[in-house]
Amino acid sequence: MAKSEEMPDFGLLHGVKVLSTGTVAAEPYAATLMAEHGADVVQVENARSPEGMRKNVALEWAQDARCKRTIALDIPSKEGRGVFLDLIQWADIWLESSKGGTYKKWGFDDEFLLELNPDLVIVHVSGYGEMGEPDYVRRPSYDPIAQAFSGFMYINSPRGTKPMAVFPGIGDFITALFALWSSLAALLRARETGEGDVIDLSQYEAILRVSAQYPAEYFTKGNQLVRNPDIDGDVGGLGVYECRDGRYVYVALNPSALKSDGLALLGLTGDPDFDRQDAIVAGTARDEKSKRAIEDYCLSHTASEVDRDFNKVNIGCCKIMDYSELGDNPHCLKRESIVEWFDDASGQMVRGVGIVPRVERRPGHVWRGAPRLGQDNEDILEELGYSSADIEKLYAEGVIVRD
């Protein structure tokens, strides 16, 4: 278990108190990112239905629930309501993810909570948002559902192919980043003014917002675009190429590479179509010639050779690596992109992604692994003023549970 005063002093968010009551995966991930940078994050799990990722996706839980404290609480119960309201008064930020209107249905509307804690930042994360057409607000949503509704799945399915979701659940993690920046922006404002705020974040809108030019192309010009697997919009000189050893590279022939060394490597020296260094437009003669030249070079060299040779002449290129290569890569090792920590939930050492981003003076830190169910019940409740007798009563009534 861990008391707040026993937490190490590290990171940019030390002293920020975050209450997280959501489940898989967007909202709790945002809270974990805060915890990795020093915030005191209390994750509330449902005492009646613990987080399924603990068993179903155990290593994702180990990585994405680390650095938090936890309490397993039945919030809607009579006694659980009181504990929840005490946590609301403790917190600077409350993040939750549920169907729109769930907490209001339980009697916890935003106005009431802001009366209890006027400078609280409330962040609702859901598939369709807190307001809108009631049918949509009440719908269940998962990452692929949001991809389908937002048009993201459509634009990533080239014509003539079956629509496919993008995995891992990019919509969950993009939504988490929106939750992260907006809650911290609201906290900054609350500390300046003493007034909290309410953020209504829908997963489909977060994905829609990162869909580049595709929405504007349709809503402005009526162009219903889909992703071409070989190009990026109107930009040519991009694509995946197979190499002599059967491995693949991704190549981006940027304009700055169209100099003597790059042209010589590709056998394009003296070609009048390459006498200028502006962008290559998809479908033009320059695009077709550059693709053929890149393809010929790749088929006569290994992926590692292409990666080395192209980067020497400023052609954007990277071998498409698997995790075995990434973990042994000297750049990855020097940046400590992969780290090891002890996982409390499973009782084993885990290797996974390190702290992102790197911070010079107040770096983040993996100070503990993902907690066991209810691991910090007593410490958290004692900090809220509950006596040993109060805590035992909550256990006896099933309001709180632990492994």
Side-chain angles (χ1 to χ4, degrees):
M1 295 185 286
K3 298 180 181 293
S4 60
E5 63 267 23
E6 296 172 351
M7 291 178 57
D9 181 350
F10 72 94
L12 298 173
L13 298 179
H14 179 74
V16 175
K17 295 177 290 185
V18 179
L19 175 63
S20 171
T21 62
T23 58
V24 189
E27 182 274 301
Y29 184 70
T32 297
L33 294 176
M34 294 184 191
E36 292 176 352
H37 286 274
D40 182 2
V41 176
V42 170
Q43 180 70 50
V44 177
E45 281 190 75
N46 188 330
R48 297 179 181 271
S49 178
E51 178 67 72
M53 289 177 65
R54 285 184 172 275
K55 294 182 179 179
N56 298 336
V57 198
L59 283 175
E60 184 173 351
W61 174 261
Q63 179 169 274
D64 293 344
R66 63 194 182 186
C67 298
K68 296 178 179 179
R69 300 195 294 156
T70 186
I71 180 172
L73 176 68
D74 182 6
I75 292 177
S77 68
K78 181 180 178 181
E79 295 79 6
R81 292 169 61 85
V83 176
F84 173 70
L85 293 177
D86 287 335
L87 287 166
I88 284 291
Q89 293 179 80
W90 165 86
D92 298 312
I93 299 170
W94 170 43
L95 299 132
E96 71 90 12
S97 60
S98 61
K99 292 181 185 178
T102 296
Y103 279 84
K104 186 174 184 179
K105 181 180 65 177
W106 291 344
F108 302 124
D109 62 85
D110 296 333
E111 292 76 12
F112 170 61
L113 298 180
L114 285 171
E115 287 177 7
L116 285 178
N117 186 349
D119 58 356
L120 178 68
V121 173
I122 298 173
V123 185
H124 297 293
V125 180
S126 61
Y128 294 94
E130 288 288 298
M131 60 80 63
E133 287 293 325
D135 172 58
Y136 282 97
V137 170
R138 292 191 295 265
R139 287 185 179 188
S141 181
Y142 304 92
D143 180 275
I145 298 294
Q147 289 188 38
F149 186 77
S150 66
F152 194 84
M153 192 179 296
Y154 177 85
I155 65 173
N156 277 284
S157 304
R159 288 187 178 88
T161 66
K162 177 182 177 181
M164 295 181 65
V166 176
F167 283 98
I170 193 71
D172 279 332
F173 301 117
I174 288 171
T175 303
L177 295 177
F178 272 90
L180 178 63
W181 80 256
S182 61
S183 61
L184 293 177
L187 177 63
L188 179 64
R189 180 69 176 170
R191 289 187 168 180
E192 291 176 347
T193 65
E195 296 182 356
D197 215 326
V198 180
I199 295 167
D200 177 3
L201 174 59
S202 77
Q203 190 175 39
Y204 88 84
E205 288 174 321
I207 303 172
L208 183 62
R209 185 62 186 88
V210 298
S211 296
Q213 78 276 19
Y214 290 87
E217 278 285 346
Y218 176 75
F219 292 112
T220 304
K221 299 180 180 179
N223 297 332
Q224 188 81 267
L225 303 178
V226 296
R227 183 180 67 87
N228 185 316
D230 296 320
I231 63 174
D232 180 11
D234 295 327
V235 180
L238 310 177
V240 175
Y241 295 87
E242 185 175 3
C243 299
R244 189 183 70 196
D245 55 357
R247 298 296 302 273
Y248 291 86
V249 293
Y250 191 89
V251 178
L253 187 58
N254 45 311
S256 61
L258 300 178
K259 299 179 181 178
S260 58
D261 290 346
L263 294 176
L265 186 72
L266 294 175
L268 296 172
T269 302
D271 190 312
D273 282 328
F274 293 90
D275 60 0
R276 62 191 191 280
Q277 293 180 25
D278 55 353
I280 297 175
V281 178
T284 62
R286 297 175 83 211
D287 183 31
E288 294 304 316
K289 287 181 179 180
S290 65
K291 284 180 180 178
R292 285 197 299 270
I294 294 169
E295 186 178 65
D296 290 344
Y297 195 92
C298 290
L299 289 175
S300 61
H301 295 79
T302 68
S304 294
E305 290 169 343
V306 174
D307 184 293
R308 178 198 64 204
D309 296 347
F310 279 22
N311 280 289
K312 279 184 178 179
V313 295
N314 202 37
I315 296 175
C317 177
C318 184
K319 181 169 64 171
I320 298 175
M321 301 199 296
D322 60 23
Y323 290 138
S324 66
E325 294 171 297
L326 183 66
D328 292 332
N329 182 274
H331 183 68
C332 183
L333 290 170
K334 183 165 285 190
R335 289 185 61 84
E336 297 180 328
S337 302
I338 307 300
V339 299
E340 187 174 58
W341 68 94
F342 181 79
D343 179 52
D344 296 66
S346 63
Q348 66 178 4
M349 297 302 295
V350 174
R351 293 191 74 219
V353 181
I355 301 297
V356 180
R358 295 178 64 85
V359 177
E360 182 68 26
R361 296 185 178 179
R362 295 279 297 179
H365 175 58
V366 180
W367 70 276
R368 77 184 302 197
R372 300 185 304 277
L373 179 67
Q375 181 173 334
D376 304 294
N377 288 347
E378 289 89 345
D379 287 338
I380 293 168
L381 290 170
E382 286 173 4
E383 289 172 25
L384 294 174
Y386 286 72
S387 68
S388 297
D390 294 332
I391 294 171
E392 287 305 316
K393 185 172 183 288
L394 293 174
Y395 273 121
E397 294 174 346
V399 178
I400 58 174
V401 299
R402 64 183 174 193
D403 280 345

